[in-house]
Amino acid sequence: MSTTPAPWAEITLAELPLRDELRGEEPYGAPQLDVPVLLNVNENPYAPSERVVADIAAAVAGAARQLHRYPDREFRDLRGDLAGYLTEDTGVALAAEQVWAGNGSNEVLQQVLQAFGGPGRTALGFAPHYPMYPEYSRNTLTTWVAGRRADDFALDLGHALDTIAEHRPAVVFLTSPNNPTGTALPLRDIEAVLDAAPGVVVVDEAYAEFRRDGVPSAVTLLPAHPRLIVSRTMSKAFALAGGRLGYLAAHRAVVDALRIVRLPYHLSAVAQATARAALGNRKELLGRVAELRAERDATVDWLRGIGLRAADSDANFVLFGTFDDRHAVWRGLLDRGVLIREAGPDGWLRVSIGTPADMAAFRHALQDVLGG
């Protein structure tokens, strides 16, 4: 005997008892469209090889045999592997206890705001910046203050120090290389902010592996600065965007603070196994980074060569412009099968660096849109 399910009662978002600061907000995210050339979310365009896929699959299969048990909530082995990689990359000896990880750097950075932000506290960043920083702040009831960068997108140090003195932030976000501009910060500027800031200073290095030769990591400042936090991700250079693994390095006391606010078992056994297998194959996974750097630099030169502005970049993307109607340019590229990102100040667009074929398609489409 079949039954007809009862109709669902209707309710709108506006009728829900939503927090006031969430009313009218939209979920963050870039457009996900099925087009031939995807150059909008700064992914590594090179998929893992079949050998690496097999290694990851074997690691996940091993984890699957224990899925009836909770994972290691402290994920000590993974933290040790991440510490080893950072030590190799920066020359700074790190222990597992100085590293923390989560479901992408978004979760890790929100945990920083959970631990050090909150009602009556302020977080500070310098626009143009990653759009999620204000959302971490909103979600943790932390007041967000946006300073500004200089016209060339470098940190305006005088303005930064004045803003710190005025607002006394609990958390300062510095991004190097910066998203969406690609700009790296000199260590002397980071040290000046560390000396002035009363709280913790986060240097977001999501794109650090793409920095040009001679550009140091803020990890090198950690031994002398106990309130410094340096975050990274495996989504970009490691070609592991689908794996969702972000992490940070800091003093042990800072990591202990994050352990207080993290949810139990926030990293699944499958995520841990995937990340460890990827780290074990880092030589191969990072093997295309030099090619992407070269393609990035060639893209900057080409954009400038056709009369556009392009910001110097230490990331795997380029911010370029300026356009009276950037949306029309973005739309024109999309109509030609190339998806990039409307990001940064008005008039600017951001293109991720793809394969040589991707970038050739981008150049051809942009010239077509501009009538060149």
Side-chain angles (χ1 to χ4, degrees), residues 79-80 83 87 93-99 250 252:
R79 289 161 71 190
T87 297
L94 291 164
E97 294 78 14
Q98 295 168 293
V99 175
R252 298 182 190 205

Side-chain angles (χ1 to χ4, degrees), residues 191-348:
E191 288 185 292
V193 170
L194 282 162
D195 290 342
V200 298
V201 175
V202 178
V203 179
D204 184 349
E205 289 192 343
Y207 302 93
E209 285 86 358
F210 297 102
R211 66 193 188 274
R212 286 171 286 189
D213 292 340
V215 176
S217 167
V219 170
T220 59
L221 299 177
L222 275 171
H225 295 280
R227 289 179 290 104
L228 172 62
I229 298 168
V230 183
S231 66
R232 292 214 182 169
T233 182
M234 295 184 72
S235 294
K236 311 302 183 185
F238 274 89
L240 204 69
R244 306 305 303 135
L245 199 292
Y247 60 103
L248 59 76
H251 277 247
R252 298 182 190 205
V254 172
V255 172
D256 285 343
L258 302 182
R259 292 173 59 238
I260 293 171
V261 300
R262 65 99 168 94
L263 294 174
Y265 311 110
H266 71 289
L267 270 184
S268 74
V270 170
Q272 293 179 42
T274 299
R276 294 197 69 204
L279 285 162
N281 285 281
R282 59 181 172 266
K283 183 175 181 180
E284 180 174 332
L285 289 172
L286 297 174
R288 310 301 287 267
V289 165
E291 294 175 43
L292 292 168
R293 287 175 181 161
E295 193 71 52
R296 171 201 64 204
D297 294 342
T299 300
V300 169
D301 291 342
W302 180 80
L303 288 164
R304 290 172 178 171
I306 65 169
L308 294 173
R309 296 175 64 189
D312 288 335
S313 178
D314 280 276
N316 67 334
F317 55 82
V318 177
L319 189 74
F320 69 99
T322 57
F323 305 102
D324 293 334
D325 187 350
R326 73 171 178 182
H327 183 72
V329 177
W330 177 87
R331 183 74 243 183
L333 290 169
L334 182 60
D335 290 343
R336 291 159 176 81
V338 178
L339 179 61
I340 66 169
R341 189 74 175 269
E342 292 183 89
D346 288 343
W348 293 82

Side-chain angles (χ1 to χ4, degrees), residues 44-50 52-53 239 284-285 288:
N44 188 324
Y46 296 106
S49 71
E50 288 303 313
V52 174
V53 169
E284 180 174 332
L285 289 172
R288 310 301 287 267

Side-chain angles (χ1 to χ4, degrees), residues 2-224:
S2 63
T3 60
T4 303
W8 285 61
E10 295 292 332
I11 191 169
T12 67
L13 183 61
E15 294 173 292
L16 291 173
L18 197 65
R19 284 167 37 192
D20 289 343
E21 63 271 22
L22 298 180
R23 293 193 179 278
E25 294 288 333
E26 296 287 338
Y28 171 80
Q32 291 183 303
L33 304 175
D34 185 14
V35 298
V37 181
L38 296 170
L39 299 174
N40 69 322
V41 288
N42 307 335
E43 295 162 329
N44 188 324
Y46 296 106
S49 71
E50 288 303 313
R51 189 191 65 77
V52 174
V53 169
D55 274 2
I56 292 174
V60 169
R65 295 185 179 94
Q66 295 294 319
L67 286 182
H68 63 302
R69 303 293 186 191
Y70 283 110
D72 177 3
R73 64 175 174 265
E74 300 294 336
F75 48 97
R76 295 171 182 85
D77 291 339
L78 173 57
R79 289 161 71 190
D81 290 351
L82 289 166
Y85 165 65
L86 283 177
T87 297
E88 178 184 292
D89 183 57
T90 67
V92 177
L94 291 164
E97 294 78 14
Q98 295 168 293
V99 175
W100 189 245
N103 178 31
S105 58
N106 289 304
E107 180 179 39
V108 171
L109 294 178
Q110 183 155 287
Q111 288 174 345
V112 171
L113 268 294
Q114 289 176 307
F116 299 105
R121 295 191 173 196
T122 297
L124 170 65
F126 301 95
H129 52 64
Y130 181 41
M132 281 299 297
Y133 298 152
E135 297 200 15
Y136 304 146
S137 301
R138 179 201 66 198
N139 294 348
T140 58
L141 304 179
T142 306
T143 299
W144 173 255
V145 173
R148 56 169 173 77
R149 284 181 171 242
D151 290 343
D152 63 354
F153 304 128
L155 187 66
D156 184 332
L157 187 57
H159 166 76
L161 298 180
D162 288 345
T163 307
I164 290 169
E166 177 183 356
H167 294 281
R168 307 298 293 165
V171 181
V172 176
F173 284 100
L174 301 175
T175 316
S176 182
N178 187 43
N179 181 8
T181 67
T183 318
L185 296 177
L187 293 186
R188 63 178 180 275
D189 287 359
I190 297 172
E191 288 185 292
V193 170
L194 282 162
D195 290 342
V200 298
V201 175
V202 178
V203 179
D204 184 349
E205 289 192 343
Y207 302 93
E209 285 86 358
F210 297 102
R211 66 193 188 274
R212 286 171 286 189
D213 292 340
V215 176
S217 167
V219 170
T220 59
L221 299 177
L222 275 171

